[in-house]
Amino acid sequence: MRKILAIIVTATITLEANAGSNGVYAGPNYTTGDTPSEHSIFAAATNPAYAALPVFEYDAWRMNILPTFWNRHELGEVDNFIDDLDELIDLLDDPSSIDEPVQDVLDRFNEVLVKMGEDGYTRNNVGLTAPLMPLYFRSESLNATFFAEFSYGATVGMSILDDELTFDIDTLFNTNTSAYLKSGLEARLSGGASKKIFAFGNQNKKLDVYAGVKLNLVRMELSKQIIALQQLNGESIEDVIVDSYDQNLNASTNFSVDIGVMVDADRYRAGLSITDLNSPAYSYGAIGVACDGFPEDSIERSNCDTAQYFVEVLGEVVGHEEHEQKALATLDGVYFLTKKWSVSGSMELAAYDDVVGQQNQWMTLATSYQSEHRFWPAIRAGYQKNLAGSALTSFNLGFTFFQRLTMDGSWGLESVDVDDVQVPRTFGFSIGLNQKF
């Protein structure tokens, strides 16, 4: 998709890692969301109480085999804004590339720029687990299940900071319109345990209550840049990102705590989890400060001055920003229509911002058919909606082949025109291979 998608790809490569979060799940969870299921190796990803489910009573271990990869892309609601942005960059580089009257050019672009500033954005989540992770171990002596997780993650987002396009005979076309890139790279090591704390009923009718806790050690690298389109001087925007990405990169390490409970009955399961109970915070590298430290005519100095304009004059950007991962409660459950067929749902109980400033609050409804035949795949289908921010919806579909290989994908129900071709505003997939004992 040319320049904008090139920015996302370039930034992801620059991060040298992959990630996913904020409505993006791994493995079967990609389709079903946070659901208490013994058929997902990622059962305890959000609710640690579910760690008791993946390891069956006659087993002691369960693990992933190969790394699980997942991603999700999201586009703003601006038809063909990539083409318009490319044309604006060409206009600023070479005014003779436009053969329209100057006033017509100003009227057209100033209308488009306002729309770009309101709705023009891209967001990319990609993720990768370490081999063998997550890893579960059930201790008979302690009557508890212990687990470990290790994953890499990145979220990359780009939006447009719009400013009026003007013209004068000396400097020709001028604007402070800029690309605003925010990214977060995360390495997360987690360990936790799940244990049955109450048991009611008998063999014919049961009701068990589990509790779980998970500790997360997180290294977060946050960066944001403002790249003035006026100052590219013939350089591609993706090259500028690569050259200047680490200039305001800020890395920090913190820890977080997740807790959860689950009720397990004969025909249903239900759970409540709270992630990031201690609300850890991470800081971005500052922008729009100490601009005198850059050479006078450099692109870095121009970008710093432009950032200072959006911070101090317009007040649209925060120069010194901190990202707080606020405590979040999630409610979820599953009802078994038959032994193999179930319906499920999960919902986050509050809205929150991700590391690139996009608002999230996800709800998932799903149904699953679990095949016990080696050669007939398990099938799952889901509907996912963001109750905040973009309010996007998607249809999710997943399969587990040979009781090992999981393949899940999502397709957005809203669309946008890109290069005059209609594409979904959100799409992605997950693929993994886990061990079944």
Side-chain angles (χ1 to χ4, degrees):
M1 295 168 60
R2 301 203 330 220
K3 242 180 218 346
I4 301 303
L5 290 186
I7 293 169
I8 297 301
V9 173
T10 303
T12 304
I13 294 172
T14 304
L15 289 171
E16 298 178 350
N18 307 301
S21 60
N22 308 300
V24 188
Y25 305 97
N29 298 36
Y30 196 95
T31 295
T32 61
D34 294 311
T35 302
S37 172
E38 66 270 32
H39 304 295
S40 172
I41 196 72
F42 295 97
T46 299
N47 190 334
Y50 298 165
L53 296 176
V55 185
F56 301 124
E57 291 184 0
Y58 48 83
D59 291 326
W61 297 88
R62 191 178 177 192
M63 67 190 73
N64 228 3
I65 299 177
L66 298 177
T68 295
F69 174 79
W70 65 96
N71 78 339
R72 186 185 182 99
H73 306 270
E74 186 174 317
L75 303 173
E77 191 180 9
V78 182
D79 290 337
N80 293 314
F81 94 95
I82 297 173
D83 290 338
D84 292 329
L85 188 59
D86 285 340
E87 189 177 355
L88 175 60
I89 293 171
D90 292 340
L91 171 67
L92 296 173
D93 286 342
D94 179 15
S96 65
S97 63
I98 302 294
D99 57 2
E100 301 175 51
V102 169
Q103 191 58 50
D104 290 349
V105 173
L106 294 175
D107 291 343
R108 177 163 62 91
F109 274 107
N110 281 323
E111 181 178 351
V112 169
L113 285 173
V114 172
K115 183 66 173 174
M116 284 187 190
E118 292 174 349
D119 300 317
Y121 73 91
T122 62
R123 178 173 64 170
N124 188 32
N125 300 89
V126 286
L128 185 71
T129 63
L132 306 182
M133 297 291 176
L135 173 66
Y136 297 86
F137 170 70
R138 188 168 63 87
S139 170
E140 288 283 359
S141 59
L142 298 176
N143 192 26
T145 302
F146 300 89
F147 64 98
E149 302 169 346
F150 188 67
S151 63
Y152 302 93
T155 302
V156 182
M158 201 200 80
S159 58
I160 299 299
L161 296 173
D162 65 286
D163 191 63
E164 184 181 9
L165 179 67
T166 61
F167 179 87
D168 64 64
I169 197 63
D170 295 321
T171 57
L172 303 180
F173 291 101
N174 294 278
T175 182
N176 282 318
T177 296
S178 303
Y180 184 27
L181 180 75
K182 298 182 76 173
S183 57
L185 167 64
E186 176 187 288
R188 177 180 292 257
L189 174 64
S190 305
S194 172
K195 183 178 177 61
K196 185 188 297 186
I197 56 174
F198 296 109
F200 305 95
N202 51 44
Q203 289 184 340
N204 296 323
K205 189 174 183 180
K206 69 168 186 175
L207 182 65
D208 299 330
V209 180
Y210 292 81
V213 62
K214 178 164 63 172
L215 300 179
N216 309 289
L217 181 65
V218 180
R219 177 176 172 81
M220 185 83 75
E221 296 183 357
L222 296 178
S223 176
K224 61 181 183 178
Q225 301 178 66
I226 289 180
I227 300 172
L229 305 185
Q230 182 83 50
Q231 305 299 332
L232 291 179
N233 297 327
E235 286 196 60
S236 67
I237 195 167
E238 53 267 33
D239 288 341
V240 174
I241 291 172
V242 171
D243 293 341
S244 60
Y245 167 75
D246 59 356
Q247 291 178 356
N248 68 335
L249 184 69
N250 192 70
S252 57
T253 302
N254 211 330
F255 77 96
S256 64
V257 180
D258 304 338
I259 60 174
V261 294
M262 173 186 66
V263 175
D264 185 17
D266 293 311
R267 297 295 298 268
Y268 69 89
R269 292 190 188 114
L272 173 67
S273 63
I274 302 177
T275 55
D276 296 315
L277 185 64
N278 56 317
S279 299
Y282 307 86
S283 297
Y284 289 91
I287 59 172
V289 298
C291 297
D292 293 341
F294 297 105
E296 183 69 31
D297 297 325
S298 65
I299 291 179
E300 291 81 5
R301 174 60 181 272
S302 298
N303 288 336
C304 187
D305 289 338
T306 304
Q308 194 172 54
Y309 169 75
F310 282 104
V311 171
E312 297 182 0
V313 178
L314 298 186
E316 294 184 5
V317 177
V318 178
H320 297 270
E321 184 177 355
E322 187 176 73
H323 171 65
E324 181 183 0
Q325 292 185 323
K326 296 182 180 180
L328 176 67
T330 301
L331 185 65
D332 48 72
V334 58
Y335 183 80
F336 297 94
L337 299 171
T338 68
K339 183 179 179 181
K340 298 180 181 180
W341 184 22
S342 64
V343 293
S344 62
S346 66
M347 186 172 71
E348 296 169 340
L349 301 184
Y352 58 95
D353 288 342
D354 61 17
V355 297
V356 300
Q358 295 291 331
Q359 199 172 46
N360 298 264
Q361 185 184 358
W362 292 92
M363 176 195 72
T364 302
L365 300 174
T367 184
S368 302
Y369 178 81
Q370 186 62 37
S371 172
E372 296 179 357
H373 194 281
R374 181 181 296 272
F375 300 107
W376 184 256
I379 304 172
R380 49 193 169 269
Y383 169 85
Q384 190 177 36
K385 182 174 180 61
N386 189 356
L387 302 178
S390 64
L392 290 180
T393 56
S394 66
F395 173 73
N396 304 339
L397 184 65
F399 302 90
T400 299
F401 297 96
F402 313 112
Q403 300 181 339
R404 306 289 192 280
L405 176 64
T406 63
M407 301 180 68
D408 295 75
S410 64
W411 190 262
L413 302 183
E414 296 85 4
S415 61
V416 65
D417 287 341
V418 176
D419 293 335
D420 295 319
V421 176
Q422 197 170 74
V423 299
R425 286 187 55 196
T426 181
F427 54 91
F429 69 91
S430 172
I431 184 169
L433 185 68
N434 64 79
Q435 188 169 0
K436 180 179 176 64
F437 291 88

